[in-house]
Amino acid sequence: FKDDFSTSPHLFTPMSPYDLELPIQGASQLSQSKELCTDFSSVDLSFLPDVTQDNKEQNLSEDGHEAQKELDGSLPSKDSGVFMDESSLSHPGAALASPEAPDVCPPLTPMTPVTPATTPSESSGIVPQLQNIVSTVNLACKLDLKNIALHARNAEYNPKRFAAVIMRIREPRTTALIFSSGKMVCTGAKSEEQSRLAARKYARVVQKLGFPAKFLDFKIQNMVGSCDVRFPIRLEGLVLTHQQFSSYEPELFPGLVYRMVKPRIVLLIFVSGKVVLTGAKDRSEIYEAFENIYPILRGFKKPS
Amino acid sequence: MAARGRCPECGSESLVEDAHYAQQQLVCAACGCVVSEGLLTTTYTDEEHLREVAYSQSTGQKEQQSRCLQRGIRRVQDLCKALQLPAVFEETAVSYFQRALQLPAFHLVSLEKKELLGGCCVLVTCRQHRWPLTMGSVCSLLYAKQELFASVYLSLQQELGLSVPALSMAELVTTHLDSFQLFQPTANIPAAFLEDKEKLLARTMGLVELASEAWLVTGRHPVPIVTAAAFLAWQSLRPSPRLSCPLARFCRLAGLDLPPPAHLRLKELLEILLGMASQLSWLRAFRLDKKTVVKHLGELLQHRLFLLKRAFSQQQQEDMAPSSDSPCQRSPSSAVPQQQGRPSAGKQQQQQHGGTLRPLLPPCLIHPRKRPRAPSAPAVPITGNEPISDSEIEQYLRSPEEMQAFRKAKGWP
């Protein structure tokens, strides 16, 4: 019983009254303090592993027992124990009742169904959202930039300022830098697939303009994600204990720059609890980096 | 390389060519007998064919420092003298500078950057010795652009792998108030404005600590907070003549710079103080507003930790004491603005204690500027390999008439 409490706070927002030092505040607190997204009905959660023995014990409430039967195999462990009626439980996307009806739906729903790197019982319950993907591709032919700027509506070319055409498309909303060597950089997509689709569209535009463009060596160069841990962070404290990784210069930048070694990700941590993760070549690196930093940040949640 | 032949003394075959100073010699490795040696002097014909040794090949070049390095070291030393730093700082800064200049990241950059590098080394040294030198002061001494200085500083930190401690607020307050001109009587300062240094320092320090507890310092530039705190502290030490003096006039008289964020920090500090004042029962009758709360600053600072806990709702329920405290948590006087707060925590507190308490959070969370972003999951997960319709691509291509018009507008033939 008590062991599981060490992991369960991760499932709840820190605004919850639940606290590690007071295990006597038991099940009743668990059921009151949810701020999880209320609407799961549109998301397919079947990819998540079945509820394990550990998770079942966490999800206690006054009406614990019936609820547990419903939990077996149908609900993912991220749902926690407010059980209004059994009919809503049997639906895999059960809406959770939360007394405070939050204004914001926290970013629990991942962009595309992806198995999380860590098991749900250890995870923080927060999934970073991807905000920007930068990718490059080789069109493998020399391009006449002036020609492209003339023929394309969505192109911008100012050779005195920058030696590339800046092209934009509406869907997916992205920007591309097209160089005369035939190399192209595509930025602004929110997922790897969107970036690939956008790059293909740009290549198609170039093809339609009469160039023999190919689509070689598409590679994701950088991924940027962001999330919110929902509690303020004492950056001064963090820079003291993690001096070798952190750089906090309030005179220069309000956030703390944390250079994580494994995975090699740079995190920008702000006093509001918002975290920006960048430098990833793969989405799993962002998730892993956040799971690494979350327990560290929890240590700096100031219970003033 | 061993030469052929035998040593006449011991008969061994291990003869080695060696140089004794500049003279070539053939020496036996076994007994040390010099078998043959070169000439000490040269003839005219020899000298004609000899070439002088270039400076770059001589050993002298390695021992001497490059002019760039010499100039940089002089600059660092001048900077230390201008800032009146202890001698040990100068040595450390010079050593950092020498180390940094050898790295390719700093060796092949513009002279402007090299100059800033010296300033950065001084800054790092000061930080490591807890000497509160701000970047602003170094930049003004070097006439540097802040962004360039920032980039050189950050790359220095990274390249040398230095761990630089953060600026310590306590020392900053002390140093900042050192340049105050309100401690000594001068012509243009009214007598009522003069203040004792120790008292002002102590009170400003207390206010800065309070600001730091109340999340006003994290992530913000430290100097405006110190300015605002010094102003409030100064006002509170003799409220009657000083309350009418605005922040700008205060800074002018004191000889301090007035950074633009100082007004905002002042407002935030006053808000915190008003909140705290509402929790002191003997002050509630006064109906304080931001002008008058300064008069009671001393009391507020005295009980600051206790008041902070009471005046602002906490995130952990364990801090909220049971019913014995409830009389003190009635709604405060109407003059005090306390209706903000994040819905969840604030409402929880209200439900439990019937008061309207603002949570103790950084101002960026109390007044979020952006609307919270709703996660936008795509309706259909895309694979990246969907077919692309021609019509979609054609919308991005110009029609011939458009191209004509564009060509004309650009002035192309």
Side-chain angles (χ1 to χ4, degrees):
Chain A
F1 188 84
K2 291 234 164 75
D3 294 338
D4 294 324
F5 274 50
S6 59
T7 54
S8 62
H10 294 309
L11 294 178
F12 308 113
T13 66
M15 303 287 278
S16 83
Y18 180 75
D19 193 294
L20 276 174
E21 283 83 53
L22 295 173
I24 38 168
Q25 291 187 16
S28 57
Q29 299 297 339
L30 282 175
S31 54
Q32 281 173 23
S33 56
K34 250 65 69 210
E35 247 188 282
L36 300 172
C37 191
T38 51
D39 182 24
F40 277 116
S41 52
S42 59
V43 177
D44 176 25
L45 295 170
S46 54
F47 62 90
L48 287 171
D50 285 350
V51 175
T52 63
Q53 190 62 33
D54 292 346
N55 296 335
K56 267 196 279 189
E57 286 174 23
Q58 286 172 14
N59 291 313
L60 288 171
S61 69
E62 285 93 322
D63 323 301
H65 302 293
E66 314 128 15
Q68 285 212 15
K69 284 189 237 124
E70 302 294 335
L71 272 181
D72 290 1
S74 64
L75 280 178
S77 63
K78 284 186 184 161
D79 290 351
S80 343
V82 175
F83 303 110
M84 304 305 280
D85 48 83
E86 285 160 313
S87 55
S88 67
L89 283 179
S90 50
H91 191 295
L96 295 171
S98 158
E100 294 95 16
D103 302 335
V104 177
C105 196
L108 262 187
T109 52
M111 295 298 291
T112 56
V114 151
T115 315
T118 59
T119 61
S121 61
E122 298 162 4
S123 74
S124 58
I126 307 172
V127 180
Q129 274 198 308
L130 291 179
Q131 302 294 347
N132 184 24
I133 313 271
V134 178
S135 57
T136 53
V137 74
N138 187 3
L139 302 177
C141 67
K142 293 276 171 281
L143 302 173
D144 179 354
L145 298 184
K146 203 161 156 188
N147 197 318
I148 294 177
L150 171 64
H151 281 79
R153 282 186 186 144
N154 55 344
E156 202 182 295
Y157 181 48
N158 191 345
K160 290 193 203 123
R161 193 153 42 103
F162 191 54
V165 163
I166 302 168
M167 198 182 281
R168 297 183 166 86
I169 56 173
R170 278 182 280 272
E171 184 55 47
R173 222 165 84 83
T174 49
T175 306
L177 301 174
I178 306 176
F179 294 84
S180 54
S181 60
K183 300 264 174 70
M184 184 171 81
V185 180
C186 173
T187 65
K190 299 272 193 222
S191 77
E192 303 90 321
E193 299 82 12
Q194 278 189 17
S195 193
R196 189 188 171 82
L197 179 62
R200 283 176 56 229
K201 290 190 183 177
Y202 288 111
R204 190 70 88 74
V205 170
V206 172
Q207 270 176 356
K208 281 237 183 268
L209 293 174
F211 298 94
K214 304 209 228 343
F215 195 78
L216 306 179
D217 307 324
F218 174 79
K219 182 171 181 224
I220 306 261
Q221 299 290 354
N222 185 26
M223 299 174 72
V224 181
S226 74
C227 56
D228 189 356
V229 299
R230 318 283 282 185
F231 54 82
I233 303 168
R234 289 279 172 198
L235 301 178
E236 308 92 334
L238 183 57
V239 77
L240 275 176
T241 53
H242 290 78
Q243 222 172 28
Q244 64 272 50
F245 305 114
S246 330
S247 158
Y248 170 56
E249 297 292 337
E251 297 174 85
L252 294 179
F253 188 63
L256 186 150
V257 180
Y258 190 102
R259 292 178 195 274
M260 196 175 279
V261 172
K262 186 170 165 10
R264 217 170 133 258
I265 299 281
V266 174
L267 298 94
L268 301 176
I269 304 167
F270 295 91
V271 67
S272 56
K274 305 242 181 350
V275 180
V276 174
L277 307 98
T278 181
K281 289 273 195 292
D282 190 81
R283 167 196 288 256
S284 61
E285 289 175 15
I286 293 207
Y287 295 149
E288 193 188 334
F290 182 69
E291 292 304 321
N292 288 347
I293 201 81
Y294 189 72
I296 297 172
L297 294 180
R298 283 219 47 145
F300 286 97
K301 190 183 80 156
K302 174 90 174 188
S304 49
Chain B
M1 289 236 302
R4 292 185 190 265
R6 279 183 177 275
C7 170
E9 291 276 343
C10 62
S12 89
E13 278 196 345
S14 52
L15 296 179
V16 180
E17 272 191 24
D18 194 13
H20 180 61
Y21 297 116
Q23 197 185 36
Q24 279 294 108
Q25 290 178 339
L26 202 60
V27 185
C28 169
C31 67
C33 155
V34 178
V35 177
S36 70
E37 54 190 1
L39 299 167
L40 277 171
T41 56
T42 50
T43 60
Y44 279 130
T45 36
D46 286 338
E47 282 169 13
E48 269 167 45
H49 296 295
L50 288 175
R51 276 209 245 135
E52 63 186 33
V53 179
Y55 180 70
S56 55
Q57 288 171 344
S58 73
T59 51
Q61 208 229 359
K62 290 191 197 108
E63 285 156 8
Q64 211 180 12
Q65 290 169 337
S66 72
R67 216 178 300 166
C68 173
L69 184 60
Q70 282 179 341
R71 187 170 36 215
I73 292 177
R74 248 201 313 274
R75 206 78 173 88
V76 169
Q77 289 169 338
D78 289 342
L79 207 58
C80 291
K81 287 198 185 70
L83 292 166
Q84 298 179 325
L85 302 175
V88 69
F89 285 24
E90 202 178 291
E91 290 159 22
T92 323
V94 167
S95 75
Y96 279 144
F97 186 76
Q98 281 178 311
R99 268 172 64 192
L101 210 56
Q102 284 167 2
L103 300 169
F106 295 112
H107 196 54
L108 305 166
V109 298
S110 62
L111 283 176
E112 192 184 4
K113 271 196 172 172
K114 280 184 185 154
E115 195 147 305
L116 297 187
L117 182 63
C120 292
C121 293
V122 173
L123 184 65
V124 167
T125 314
C126 288
R127 283 278 188 91
Q128 289 179 334
H129 292 267
R130 286 183 71 91
W131 189 278
L133 181 63
T134 57
M135 288 194 195
S137 9
V138 182
C139 280
S140 61
L141 277 174
L142 294 174
Y143 303 106
K145 291 179 279 207
Q146 258 267 13
E147 303 89 42
L148 197 58
F149 186 83
S151 69
V152 176
Y153 176 75
L154 292 173
S155 48
L156 175 71
Q157 223 182 345
Q158 221 179 345
E159 293 283 329
L160 288 187
L162 303 167
S163 62
V164 185
L167 192 59
S168 65
M169 287 302 274
E171 269 81 342
L172 179 65
V173 170
T174 317
T175 319
H176 203 68
L177 293 188
D178 269 348
S179 55
F180 234 48
Q181 286 171 15
L182 290 176
F183 301 135
Q184 307 296 332
T186 48
N188 55 344
I189 298 176
F193 283 12
L194 288 176
E195 191 48 70
D196 172 52
K197 185 171 177 184
E198 294 306 310
K199 281 201 269 176
L200 186 63
L201 204 61
R203 197 160 271 202
T204 311
M205 205 77 93
L207 258 179
V208 169
E209 278 170 23
L210 171 67
S212 154
E213 281 283 316
W215 295 102
L216 298 182
V217 171
T218 312
R220 269 97 170 272
H221 202 290
V223 176
I225 299 162
V226 176
T227 311
F231 174 61
L232 279 180
W234 173 79
Q235 273 191 331
S236 74
L237 285 171
R238 237 181 111 172
S240 3
R242 295 176 186 173
L243 269 179
S244 54
C245 175
L247 180 59
R249 184 162 175 239
F250 167 76
C251 287
R252 237 176 317 142
L253 290 174
L256 289 177
D257 277 333
L258 178 58
H263 286 285
L264 289 167
R265 301 295 160 262
L266 191 62
K267 246 192 349 186
E268 287 165 0
L269 262 176
L270 282 168
E271 198 215 320
I272 299 278
L273 290 170
L274 280 170
M276 286 165 65
S278 70
Q279 296 302 317
L280 274 183
S281 37
W282 64 89
L283 288 183
R284 229 173 285 135
F286 282 113
R287 292 191 159 249
L288 296 169
D289 66 5
K290 48 188 211 324
K291 291 276 180 188
T292 47
V293 72
V294 180
K295 296 187 206 161
H296 307 282
L297 197 63
E299 294 165 334
L300 292 175
L301 283 180
Q302 217 178 342
H303 307 289
R304 64 173 178 264
L305 290 174
F306 169 72
L307 288 174
L308 266 184
K309 278 204 187 134
R310 290 278 222 79
F312 301 100
S313 69
Q314 306 310 315
Q315 315 233 335
Q316 314 304 94
Q317 283 294 355
E318 85 222 33
D319 284 310
M320 302 316 296
S323 55
S324 62
D325 281 342
S326 44
C328 295
Q329 274 155 7
R330 275 171 291 146
S331 315
S333 60
S334 53
V336 178
Q338 287 218 335
Q339 291 297 335
Q340 311 137 358
R342 290 170 88 187
S344 38
K347 280 185 194 153
Q348 265 185 356
Q349 305 303 124
Q350 287 165 34
Q351 282 160 18
Q352 306 217 348
H353 301 279
T356 50
L357 297 175
R358 190 205 92 166
L360 193 59
L361 290 173
C364 55
L365 286 176
I366 307 281
H367 309 286
R369 271 196 257 173
K370 289 195 210 172
R371 228 174 293 155
R373 218 185 266 167
S376 49
V380 178
I382 65 170
T383 62
N385 289 316
E386 282 92 345
I388 304 169
S389 65
D390 275 349
S391 55
E392 185 185 352
I393 301 297
E394 253 139 47
Q395 70 174 310
Y396 293 119
L397 303 179
R398 287 203 171 105
S399 64
E401 303 83 34
E402 277 181 45
M403 285 203 279
Q404 279 274 30
F406 184 78
R407 239 195 269 258
K408 250 197 191 164
K410 280 277 192 175
W412 294 349

